[in-house]
Amino acid sequence: MAQDTRPTIRIRDAGEHVGAPVRIGGWVYNRRSGGKVVFLILRDGSGLLQCVGSAKDMPAEAWDALGSLPQESSLWVCGTVRRDARAPGGYELALEDLSVIQAAQPDYPLALKEHGPEFLMDNRHLWLRSPRQAAVMRVRAEVVRACRDHLDSEGFLLMDAPVLTPAACEGTTTLFGTDYFGQQAFLTQSGQLYNEAAAMALGRVYCFGPAFRAEKSKTRRHLIEFWMLEPEMAFVEQEENMQVQERLITAIVERVLERQRGELELLERDVEPLLRVKPPFPRITYDSALEILQGKDLALPWGEDLGAPHEVVLAEEFGRPVFVTHYPAACKAFYMQPDPARPEVVLCADLLAPEGYGEIIGGSQRIHDPELMERKVREIGLPTEAYRWYMDLRRYGTVPHSGFGMGIERVVSWLCGLAHVREAIPFPRLLNRIYP
Ligand code: 4AD
Ligand code: MG
């Protein structure tokens, strides 16, 4: 192909180049022939573009390649962008030339037909190329961007927590152990404990990173490795903690509706329930949740944690996100502040998403009293030596403080209307899967 002066553009920007000659690097997504013309659907990661070629407008070699390149072949195309209402996206490229980078092997595993989920997961590295998966990844990136923009605008500071830790945060049964030069270490379950130190240093902070749970659960909402956003705030009690969560969730939903509407449409996500996400979110106590559940033949003994079926039914009652507050201390983590009026329950809330998605946020006020924290750590048999620094936070200027953790994949699943959280992360780690 003649080296020329055409600018190289990306498909997402095609609309800015109408009438102009351009060059685009991409992959063959699909092709159909209409007699003397060939319609090539080109994929470049930023979108899909219909490229129309005919023998009379192209060199013979390029015309031959156009009619024969297998799916996922890589190439440069040259042509002129034109507006065409019939073309997907509203623009098409009138092809003038192309040059093949590689004619792909003809046996692309994910040819354009239906495949089962296990097969798709085995080929996750290729499946990510499909428009649906690309749409989910764009929504995911938007969610992360919205979280950071929103928290930054509220004066929070990003303070990332370590991944390798000597101690547990969320109970000792789901720890991933590893050897740290002869010392036992774990992959973090949550950045919270470090975040508490960060909040005492900088007031309002958040961390955003991977968390690991060696959980033997094989459900549509559990990953072994997931990404969590964790804000932590000094001088903030549980009611204000929930208000921060409401504003955050509302900001995320609004942003995705505003900037990723096209992706939600591609995913065939009914946006009507998302338009209803407005603060304040309803709040119910654990006790009244049990009453609602009893009326739905899902009775639960007081003291037991809610499971997925309970959460689904509760959130359905309200049709929008709902806080469940005041859980029994026994079914929650050691650091949660007991309710002074009723010490058998803690000042906490889980935020449940509607439409079957359940818990997307877990948060609480933290114990700030040194004696009480000391007692809790001993009671549940945590190694006090590993938590010495954490106790220091209660010794030197302790203050009431609160925070929460939001699972990114759970939120993305809900916003995209996905059937399983595994599609909300590029390379999911599941109970039975660490490949690819
Ligand atoms: O409720 P969790 O376990 O809370 C914590 O880890 C706290 N230390 C967070 C904090 O207060 N800073 O987890 C918080 C959220 C859940 O609501 C859920 O969205 C997500 O993290 N999550 C998971 N997501 C996918 N797979 C898993 N196995 C998850 N476990 C928790
Ligand atoms: Mg939880």
Side-chain angles (χ1 to χ4, degrees), residues 277-298:
V277 178
K278 295 270 179 271
F281 300 161
R283 291 146 163 72
I284 56 167
T285 62
Y286 171 89
D287 287 10
S288 48
L290 289 199
E291 275 170 35
I292 296 176
L293 290 169
Q294 183 132 41
K296 310 260 176 199
D297 284 337
L298 271 174

Side-chain angles (χ1 to χ4, degrees), residues 239-353:
E239 173 55 33
E240 190 180 347
N241 190 21
M242 290 190 283
Q243 291 166 9
V244 172
Q245 295 169 43
E246 279 169 347
R247 290 199 297 274
L248 173 68
I249 293 292
T250 307
I252 295 170
V253 172
E254 275 176 4
R255 175 73 84 81
V256 168
L257 284 170
E258 178 196 317
R259 298 206 189 160
Q260 301 297 334
R261 196 61 162 252
E263 307 299 340
L264 296 181
E265 270 164 30
L266 189 148
L267 293 163
E268 296 172 80
R269 172 57 158 121
D270 173 13
V271 298
E272 200 277 328
L274 299 180
L275 294 168
R276 266 182 282 150
V277 178
K278 295 270 179 271
F281 300 161
R283 291 146 163 72
I284 56 167
T285 62
Y286 171 89
D287 287 10
S288 48
L290 289 199
E291 275 170 35
I292 296 176
L293 290 169
Q294 183 132 41
K296 310 260 176 199
D297 284 337
L298 271 174
L300 198 69
W302 196 92
E304 256 176 54
D305 203 359
L306 305 179
H310 311 109
E311 292 180 0
V312 167
V313 165
L314 288 171
E316 235 25 67
E317 278 287 287
F318 298 90
R320 56 209 189 96
V322 53
F323 286 112
V324 181
T325 68
H326 300 86
Y327 282 70
C331 67
K332 289 291 181 193
F334 74 94
Y335 49 72
M336 293 191 181
Q337 172 68 45
D339 183 348
R342 208 186 147 203
E344 69 277 19
V345 301
V346 283
L347 300 178
C348 74
D350 280 2
L351 182 65
L352 312 183

Side-chain angles (χ1 to χ4, degrees), residues 121 124-126 128 137 225 422 425-429 435-436:
M121 289 308 313
R124 182 64 173 167
H125 53 298
L126 302 175
L128 285 172
M137 292 304 125
E225 175 180 320
R422 68 187 164 209
I425 185 165
F427 293 97
R429 300 298 175 230
Y435 176 93

Side-chain angles (χ1 to χ4, degrees), residues 169-170 189-190 192 213 215 221-223 226 228 230 335 359-363 366 403-407 410:
C169 177
E170 293 298 314
Q189 297 169 307
S190 155
Q192 179 196 320
R213 306 275 167 99
E215 239 165 331
R221 49 187 218 154
H222 281 95
L223 292 163
F226 64 98
M228 184 154 52
E230 297 183 87
Y335 49 72
E359 180 191 339
I360 52 173
I361 288 181
R366 323 304 192 186
F404 61 94
M406 185 190 90
R410 297 245 182 118

